[in-house]
Amino acid sequence: MIVPKLPSTAAGVAAHYDELDLAYRRIWGEHVHHGYWRTGRESPAEAADALTELVEQRLALEPGQTLCDIGCGYGATAARIVDRHDVRIIGLTLSAAQEEIASARPSSRFTCLRRDWLHNDLPGASFDRAYAIESSEHMVDKARFFHEAARVLRPGGRLVVCAWLEGEKARGWEIRHLLEPICREGQLPGMGSRADYEVLAAEAGFTLRDYEDAAARVRRTWTICLRRFAGRMVTDPALRRLALSPKTRNRGFILSLPRLILALRTGAMRYGIFVWEKAPTAPASTAAPRR
């Protein structure tokens, strides 16, 4: 597990997304997650939707189910899913800026709550499916992340997680100059490896059903983001002010764009897509660990 010397907090994650709201929407787009290139010919929008479709497939959705979007961002992914499936989604975000946009979406089957997943107060065994697309990285307590997922899922429920991961063979210089700064600049309290996630999920009562290392499929995202950023720094005064102002506390994230490109290309960072299932009969271990 990669842990930066200055670990983040839930409040720090919320402040990061609120302060950089304009930059995220103009550079990364409304989904705020990687694209997935199957052929390499997809547009960025098509690739972002392809990742959403991949999550849908892994969830094995059925009509009438209730889903939890753990870290729903602007609600774009949830909106796409409810458009294509007869399901209901409750999404959680820490960001007030994201909640405002997500809550304005015209869907009666998607609800956004501004709430910390680690203290979500959702009723137990109330969801058929749950998914976390690039949000587990922001969790201060990853063991509790999995225990909360196991608690709110019904027996036999399924959890799909897309996660930035530490490469199993990351070298010392890659950890010092790529992974630790990526965690610090992106407000990631820690970046786990595939093995870390599998151990924590098993301890929470989940059985792994599928795993894909999709680093090669998603890494083009950051080259596109860097190109967009460079172009908008010339044409977009609001973004330029945000990026250059010394008052912008989270502007260091911009430095992570080239780091992310390099980390995914060297293998120092991986991108994992996990599918877990909760046992048909809930074990006692699904209770959240005591603190």
Side-chain angles (χ1 to χ4, degrees):
M1 182 81 71
I2 302 297
V3 179
K5 294 179 181 178
L6 296 174
S8 181
T9 63
V13 173
H16 172 91
Y17 281 102
D18 286 343
E19 184 176 48
L20 299 182
D21 169 60
L22 179 145
Y24 271 108
R25 286 189 285 120
R26 295 187 183 180
I27 296 172
W28 206 348
E30 64 174 3
H31 282 282
V32 200
H33 63 58
H34 283 70
Y36 185 92
W37 279 265
R38 289 189 174 91
T39 68
R41 295 187 296 273
E42 298 90 342
S43 69
E46 289 170 338
D49 192 52
L51 184 65
T52 301
E53 288 183 339
L54 191 68
V55 170
E56 292 172 32
Q57 294 165 8
R58 301 292 197 271
L59 286 168
L61 299 174
E62 297 177 8
Q65 289 183 327
T66 301
L67 284 59
C68 187
D69 185 333
I70 306 169
C72 66
Y74 298 109
T77 300
R80 290 290 287 158
I81 293 175
V82 298
D83 279 348
R84 292 193 283 234
H85 300 272
D86 179 19
V87 296
R88 178 171 175 264
I89 299 179
I90 294 177
L92 277 68
T93 179
L94 288 167
S95 166
Q98 291 180 347
E99 179 200 22
E100 181 178 2
I101 293 173
S103 295
R105 293 187 177 276
S107 175
S108 61
R109 291 186 285 119
F110 169 58
T111 302
C112 178
L113 305 174
R114 182 151 59 100
R115 198 173 292 185
D116 184 349
W117 171 250
L118 301 182
H119 307 281
N120 59 69
D121 294 325
L122 295 171
S126 55
F127 292 91
D128 302 289
R129 302 285 188 265
Y131 61 93
I133 304 179
E134 303 173 38
S135 62
S136 62
E137 301 87 334
H138 287 304
M139 302 294 171
V140 175
D141 185 339
K142 287 181 175 51
R144 191 176 181 91
F145 162 79
F146 284 106
H147 279 277
E148 282 299 300
R151 184 184 66 79
V152 305
L153 280 170
R154 297 186 176 102
R158 181 169 286 205
L159 171 68
V160 174
V161 175
C162 300
W164 303 12
L165 301 173
E166 170 195 0
E168 301 287 356
K169 296 181 180 180
R171 291 162 287 187
W173 73 266
E174 292 171 320
I175 292 172
R176 290 191 303 273
H177 299 294
L178 298 177
L179 300 185
E180 287 181 353
I182 286 170
C183 288
R184 183 179 67 252
E185 293 156 1
Q187 291 291 330
L188 311 183
M191 184 187 293
S193 65
R194 173 183 176 179
D196 291 330
Y197 272 61
E198 291 182 359
V199 167
L200 293 172
E203 290 176 347
F206 285 108
T207 299
L208 183 67
R209 294 304 184 196
D210 189 51
Y211 175 78
E212 177 184 352
D213 183 335
R217 300 281 190 182
V218 306
R219 65 190 183 193
R220 184 178 298 189
T221 299
W222 296 109
T223 303
I224 292 169
C225 286
L226 186 59
R227 188 184 307 126
R228 286 176 177 170
F229 173 73
R232 284 190 173 273
M233 283 293 286
V234 176
T235 63
D236 190 332
L239 181 62
R240 189 164 58 246
R241 286 194 297 271
L242 180 70
L244 298 180
S245 172
K247 295 181 180 179
T248 304
R249 292 171 296 174
N250 290 282
R251 64 177 180 162
F253 181 60
I254 295 165
L255 299 174
S256 278
L257 297 180
R259 292 191 215 276
L260 284 158
I261 293 170
L262 185 57
L264 283 166
R265 289 196 174 276
T266 65
M269 186 172 130
R270 311 306 301 173
Y271 189 97
I273 303 174
F274 299 88
V275 181
W276 283 288
E277 285 186 358
K278 179 178 173 178
T281 301
S285 63
T286 58
R290 294 182 179 180
R291 290 288 181 267

